[in-house]
Every structure is written in structure tokens, then in C-alpha cells.
Amino acid sequence: MGNLPESPDFLQELFLEETWKNIDRLDEFIESKTKEEKIVVTPSEVDSLFRTMHSIKGTSSMMGYPAFSETAHSAEDLFSYLREEENPTDKDLDTILQLLRMVSGYFKRELRRMETEDDVTDFGWSVVRRIKNFLAHVDSDNEPEGPSYQIAYTRKGKKWIPYTDFSALIPQMERLASIMGRDLEKEFIVKVSGAGTEVPRDIYDKVSMAVIQMMKNSMDHGLEKTEDRIKMGKTPVGEISLEIQKTPQRVFVVFRDDGRGLDKKKILQTAEEKGLMKKPVRECEDSEIYALLLRSGFTTKSKATMFSGRGVGMDVVNAAISSVGGSIRIESKEFMGTTFFMEFPLTTE
């Protein structure tokens, strides 16, 4: 990777600069088509903007902005549809331009919030839903039957999603580990088992997003520095592990770290300050307390860093997992670490 700048915010600055340039390309496309009496989209334009959205999707996922990444993913699906559809109607092209304006507007609002260190929002999910609704009806006469998570929006609107394994996730995890380990001055190893497990693309996308966010949380909040681990009688090097298994009906994903564990007192204090407690603390099970971390905008960090504490993360992960019929459960033991259990259906039940 070469030498990295010493400033802890250099990645954020690079992300902002690159994303603004990509959004400028999208806006130029929208404006040029708006001026045309009859909208014509060339294959080269579609291919270029497909790659632009793909780039935004990847970098925003790496930076820990899931709603941003999912919005880019949906815009990518629009260009995928244009890439495969031979004769889109004028009405559909006009709708696509309107949807892309919404995408651009959301991106620009969120980038300005990042620049002023305001909390980012998850408003992108409303844009995602609009795009998926459009694509779901653009060719309703040729709609395949089956679970929604196994359908992709490409030729003539829909086709079966190809299965993919998790081999592409490993280098993402390693890159993030290298960047964060250096900036946070922490030593740890990453172990992955079941990377060859094949799942539908939508499930892969949601798991990948969740794992990247969980890594950020584990390294920033959970894993201790080497000297602290030694004082606690733990191994000097921390460990993050990912296990993936599949049965004919379900996919099971387990993400764990051996860090300090979750701070129940701080979680409860934050929940009480936000008015989220519905019953006395003494009546709450640990699972109920940890589930508070999945609530929208919930964070126990008083100050945002480039890695976490911006009020968006596990709540959006939870929403994304739920969108494909999955569930997430959290367990934690003080000084021993935290485990996230994710489960996804593979068939209609």
C-alpha cells in the first residue's frame, strides 16, 4: 500500500474528494439528458456510470456508510438495467433520470454532513425503495417466482441472482485491518472459515456490509491495545473471526472478537438519555440490552472518529439484514469479547 499519511482523517478526505468527483459525473449525465428533446443513452455512457456507481458503492462500504453504499448499489442496478434493456421507453428513461436526481441529491446532502462532522443519515433507504419499486414493475409480465432476495434487476427487469462465495470479502477485511491497525496502534489477526460458501448475491452484499461495520466497531471499541491486553492477562494479539456455514434452508454467519466486551452500563445510560427504555433495567435480559445497539442512530461514543460513532452503523446493518429476511443477535461477556450471530433464509418458508 505504500506509506500512509499520518493524519487520522486522510481516508475521509480522500473519500470525500473522490465521491464529489463521481457525483459531478452523474450530474453532468443528468443535465445533458435533460436538455435533449428525446432522451438517448449510449452504451459507453451506461458503462461509464455503472463503474462510477460501483466505485461509490465500494468506497462508501469501506468507510462505514452502509445506507450510502446501498443507494449507490441501487443506482448501479438502474445502469445495469439500461445496459441490458434494448429499447427502454421514453417514460422509463424519464423516470430513471428522476430517480438519479434523487440519488445525487441524497449523496450531496450526506457529503455536506460529513464535511461538517454532522451525523450521517439513513435517508438513502427511501431512495433505494423507490428504485427497487420501479425495477420491480418495469417488466412485471416476465416476473419469476421465488424469494425476492434471489432476484436481480438486469435484463428485461429481472433474472435469477447468481450465487457467489465470500472470497472477495477477505481482501476487503485485510485492507481495513491494515488501515485501522496502523491508525489505532492495535495488533490483531483475522481468521475466516467457510469463505467458499456460496449464497445469493443479495445475501452476500448484506453480510459483507455487516462484517465491515462490525470490524470497525470491534477494532475501534472492542479490541484493546497490546499493553492493555498483557496487563489483563490476555494474549498480546487480539483476534477477529468470521465463520460462515450453510444448510439447504439457511445461512449462518458468526462474527466475533476477543476484546473487552460491550459496556452494558454505558448502553443503558445512553438508552435512558434517549428515552428508549420501556421497562425497569432490572427486568432487562442481556440480549435486550445489546439489541439497543441495533436501534436507529444509537451510539455510545461521545465523539465521532473516522471509523465509528457517527450515529449510523449497526442500525442500518440490522435494516439491511432484515430486508432479505435475516436476523441478528448479539452476545457479549466482559473482558472476553462480543459475538454477532446472523441468520438468513435460503428458501421460502
Side-chain angles (χ1 to χ4, degrees), residues 204-221:
Y204 168 81
D205 289 339
K206 302 304 185 292
V207 171
S208 298
M209 179 181 72
V211 167
I212 293 300
Q213 186 62 37
M214 290 170 186
M215 277 194 69
K216 288 173 176 286
N217 291 344
S218 290
M219 295 181 64
D220 204 8
H221 298 258

Side-chain angles (χ1 to χ4, degrees), residues 52-64:
T52 296
M53 292 301 105
H54 187 78
S55 175
I56 294 176
K57 178 181 73 173
T59 55
S60 55
S61 176
M62 178 66 68
M63 291 301 297

Side-chain angles (χ1 to χ4, degrees), residues 72-94:
H73 188 174
S74 292
E76 184 183 42
D77 276 344
L78 285 175
F79 287 110
S80 180
Y81 172 73
L82 287 175
R83 173 186 279 176
E84 307 260 354
E85 177 56 55
E86 295 177 1
N87 297 299
T89 66
D90 292 343
K91 181 179 179 182
D92 286 346
L93 287 171
D94 186 62

